Amino acid sequence: MSSNFKASLIGSFSDVTFAKCLAWLPVPELEGFLAIGHTTGRVLLTSVLGVTDSCHFNGREFISKHNRQCNTLAWGLVDPYMLAGGFDKHRSEHGLAVWDIGKPSAEFSKPIVEAAFSDTVSSVAWFNNSRTLVAGVNNKQLKLYDLKGKLCNL
């Protein structure tokens, strides 16, 4: 840091064994809430600031059917409770999954969208002011996905 800026530790979380990537939930009321992707394919939803009382999704996990790493995560910009995840290639699974965590907990455990079958997705990002998602696929392609019909229930 420079003489004009300083950094202070405001929170921590120690259960991050095999963590590969993370994404900060862009909702001011839930500041400090993260999605953490692991090398085992596990995606954990948790808070590093202890703001968990009103979160029906705190502590929830999404687990890949096969052991493959989660490469990237991104929360939606228009629908901030939509979470996109990119995974390593597996011959019988999709490399891209999108979950709507605004749904009741029994309903959001399965992705609302799966794409990039048998592909590696190394990066994902949401376009501003739309429900369009771009994914870096197989280290050689950018694929765009329109999720207009997949609205968050909040």
Side-chain angles (χ1 to χ4, degrees), residues 17 19 31 39-40 122:
T17 306
E31 186 174 3
T39 58
T40 60
S122 57

Side-chain angles (χ1 to χ4, degrees), residues 5-81:
F5 298 98
K6 71 174 196 170
S8 302
L9 178 65
I10 60 171
S12 66
F13 185 72
S14 59
D15 185 22
V16 290
T17 306
F18 304 114
K20 167 75 174 170
C21 58
L22 63 89
W24 196 283
L25 178 65
V27 175
E29 304 82 49
L30 297 173
E31 186 174 3
F33 206 87
L34 300 173
I36 303 170
H38 296 254
T39 58
T40 60
R42 170 184 174 220
V43 176
L44 174 65
L45 304 178
T46 191
S47 174
V48 293
L49 297 179
V51 185
T52 60
D53 297 337
S54 61
C55 299
H56 70 278
F57 47 82
N58 183 52
R60 296 290 180 163
E61 291 182 334
F62 306 116
I63 299 173
S64 181
K65 294 174 195 166
H66 300 92
N67 192 3
R68 63 202 182 119
Q69 93 178 356
C70 179
N71 296 318
T72 183
L73 294 167
W75 293 101
L77 300 176
V78 172
D79 291 325
Y81 292 98

Side-chain angles (χ1 to χ4, degrees), residues 40-154:
T40 60
R42 170 184 174 220
V43 176
L44 174 65
L45 304 178
T46 191
S47 174
V48 293
L49 297 179
V51 185
T52 60
D53 297 337
S54 61
C55 299
H56 70 278
F57 47 82
N58 183 52
R60 296 290 180 163
E61 291 182 334
F62 306 116
I63 299 173
S64 181
K65 294 174 195 166
H66 300 92
N67 192 3
R68 63 202 182 119
Q69 93 178 356
C70 179
N71 296 318
T72 183
L73 294 167
W75 293 101
L77 300 176
V78 172
D79 291 325
Y81 292 98
M82 291 184 80
L83 176 64
F87 295 86
D88 271 353
K89 177 180 181 171
H90 190 279
R91 68 175 184 261
S92 61
E93 276 196 83
H94 294 86
L96 176 67
V98 179
W99 299 274
D100 182 351
I101 67 162
K103 292 182 174 186
S105 55
E107 296 178 33
F108 78 75
S109 60
K110 291 186 178 181
I112 59 168
V113 173
E114 291 182 302
F117 186 77
S118 192
D119 289 331
T120 295
V121 175
S122 57
S123 60
V124 293
W126 294 89
F127 280 43
N128 288 331
N129 302 317
S130 75
R131 291 180 178 85
T132 302
L133 180 68
V134 62
V137 180
N138 293 329
N139 293 321
K140 61 183 175 182
Q141 297 173 310
L142 291 177
K143 293 187 177 183
L144 282 78
Y145 298 94
D146 185 358
L147 296 149
K148 285 183 185 164
K150 304 293 183 182
L151 301 179
C152 182
N153 291 334
L154 292 179

